[in-house]
Amino acid sequence: MADYKLYGGLGSPYSMKMRAVLRYRRLPHQWISANDPQVMAPLFAQVKAPVIPVLEFPDGTVMNDSTPLVLELERRHPGVRSIVPDDAGQAFLAALLEDFADEWGTKAMFHYRWDRERDQRQMSQWLAFDRLKGRGREAIQAAADLFRARQVGRMALVGCTPQNAPLIEATAQRVYALLDRMAAEDLYLFGSRPSLADFAWFGQLSQLAVDPTPHDLMRETAPLLMRWLVNIDDASGIEGEWRDPTLAPTAATAGLLKLAGEVYLPFLQANAQAIHDGRETFETELMGHAYSQGVFRYQAKCLAELRAAYARLSVEARRRVDPILDAAGALAALA
């Protein structure tokens, strides 16, 4: 089998997610730092948005956006250490939790990275080093200063404002606690093998585990989660089974679904309603906290796709997942 080529960065949660997926699935690949504009320009010309990671398939096809990449790998390598649970109901729950990680979990990553001065300073230097290593400290620091200013300036755009900070930090702490318990008791969210939901949360948390402030919090409150992240980064040696779908979900899975029902799905609904009404911003209340930001059309698409995936479930699959979603407060938003 010819090698895949994954162009990404250590500071990109989606790059880390996809590298871990390729490693777990034992798909031969090259990990290439996306730091050369001359290399990246022709790749970005072949995708809709110029963002990493970019995956070049052995046949020369180029794609980015981690969820479509995961699904394309499933299509090309069916049954080969799949990360989508065999049971349709569990597969839907995993897709919901993956989406939750990708679209809300990233707010915690962005907030912690660019809110406090200590995090801004270290991470801007590290990310500049990744792109300019070997080119001298002055060049690295100059690039760090420019990148820091740009990212801090984007915080309000993605909802990472002082008003929203208490909610974002509260949800991150809930995720820490839930996944630290999972690491001790259940291995993964849907059995003794990792799913697309595990890899999505790994991607976001891989950043929180190294940025100074969330790193300190993780070491203090979720030390087993911190070690779990190191292990899933290369799970190529893991052999496992999917959880019996007739059993109740694990505490971590049920807890994440409940958090999605309290925060993520209401957030998606408020965003979609604002777009429908022609508004540029929206305000809502989540977990007792006021939350506001500008609308994102991509996240309206996420809600539509989740609802479509739910609608495609068979009667039998719905019979099993509806009580789980209802208990989490998530069913009404999907149905």
Side-chain angles (χ1 to χ4, degrees):
M1 183 187 300
D3 283 3
Y4 287 84
K5 294 180 180 179
L6 181 64
Y7 298 84
L10 297 174
S12 159
Y14 305 103
S15 297
M16 299 300 283
K17 169 186 175 182
M18 288 309 305
R19 188 175 74 171
V21 168
L22 289 168
R23 286 173 167 176
Y24 170 72
R25 299 202 65 188
R26 299 175 185 163
L27 297 175
H29 63 280
Q30 301 173 37
W31 166 255
I32 303 169
S33 183
N35 58 9
D36 186 340
Q38 291 185 334
V39 171
M40 298 308 299
L43 296 171
F44 285 150
Q46 300 177 64
V47 294
K48 289 184 178 180
V51 295
I52 58 173
V54 175
L55 184 64
E56 183 178 347
F57 292 79
D59 63 6
T61 303
V62 173
M63 288 179 61
N64 63 355
D65 195 342
S66 65
T67 300
L69 283 174
V70 163
L71 297 179
E72 180 62 15
L73 289 174
E74 291 289 331
R75 187 187 71 81
R76 293 187 180 220
H77 305 282
V80 181
R81 296 175 64 79
S82 171
I83 61 172
V84 176
D86 294 335
D87 175 75
Q90 285 190 329
F92 173 76
L93 297 179
L96 171 57
L97 293 184
E98 182 208 27
D99 202 62
F100 182 20
D102 284 350
E103 301 301 323
W104 183 270
T106 198
K107 292 184 184 299
M109 185 280 297
F110 203 89
H111 161 75
Y112 277 115
R113 179 161 288 176
W114 302 115
D115 182 59
R116 295 170 175 86
E117 199 276 337
R118 71 187 292 236
D119 300 278
Q120 293 176 16
R121 184 176 65 252
Q122 175 176 302
M123 297 316 299
S124 63
Q125 290 174 345
W126 280 18
L127 295 170
F129 171 80
D130 287 349
R131 299 180 69 87
L132 298 172
K133 47 186 174 289
R135 299 189 190 179
R137 190 174 298 273
E138 289 186 5
I140 291 168
Q141 188 59 55
D145 292 341
L146 289 173
F147 188 64
R148 174 179 177 177
R150 188 185 79 173
Q151 295 300 88
V152 171
R154 295 182 66 241
M155 291 188 72
L157 179 67
V158 296
C160 293
T161 63
Q163 174 192 355
N164 296 338
L167 170 67
I168 293 171
E169 293 195 358
T171 58
Q173 291 165 20
R174 283 262 297 269
V175 171
Y176 275 21
L178 288 166
L179 295 183
D180 191 68
R181 177 177 178 179
M182 180 199 70
E185 299 176 359
D186 298 303
L187 296 178
Y188 301 105
L189 290 167
F190 294 95
S192 56
R193 58 190 287 182
S195 70
L196 69 166
D198 297 275
F199 287 113
W201 282 106
F202 160 73
Q204 303 302 327
L205 294 168
S206 70
Q207 306 305 300
L208 296 173
V210 297
D211 292 20
T213 297
H215 166 91
D216 291 348
L217 179 65
M218 193 181 293
R219 283 187 70 93
E220 180 181 354
T221 65
L224 299 182
L225 168 59
M226 179 169 281
R227 204 59 178 166
W228 180 86
L229 295 171
V230 176
N231 280 271
I232 196 175
D233 185 37
D234 188 345
S236 57
I238 294 296
E239 304 286 353
E241 302 295 335
W242 296 120
R243 186 177 177 83
D244 183 344
T246 65
L247 297 176
T250 66
T253 301
L256 286 176
L257 290 170
K258 187 173 189 299
L259 189 56
E262 292 177 19
V263 174
Y264 183 52
L265 290 170
F267 159 77
L268 289 182
Q269 289 177 291
N271 175 71
Q273 187 63 51
I275 292 172
H276 178 269
D277 295 343
R279 290 181 276 128
E280 294 299 318
T281 63
F282 66 93
E283 296 183 2
T284 188
E285 184 175 300
L286 304 169
M287 279 175 53
H289 297 274
Y291 184 88
S292 63
Q293 74 163 70
V295 298
F296 262 72
R297 296 191 178 278
Y298 184 85
Q299 288 164 346
K301 178 183 174 184
C302 291
L303 179 59
E305 289 181 349
L306 286 171
R307 287 172 168 169
Y310 174 80
R312 290 194 297 268
L313 290 176
S314 68
V315 172
E316 174 60 22
R318 287 195 203 179
R319 184 185 66 79
R320 282 185 282 101
V321 301
D322 279 2
I324 296 170
L325 293 169
D326 194 34
L331 181 59
L334 295 165

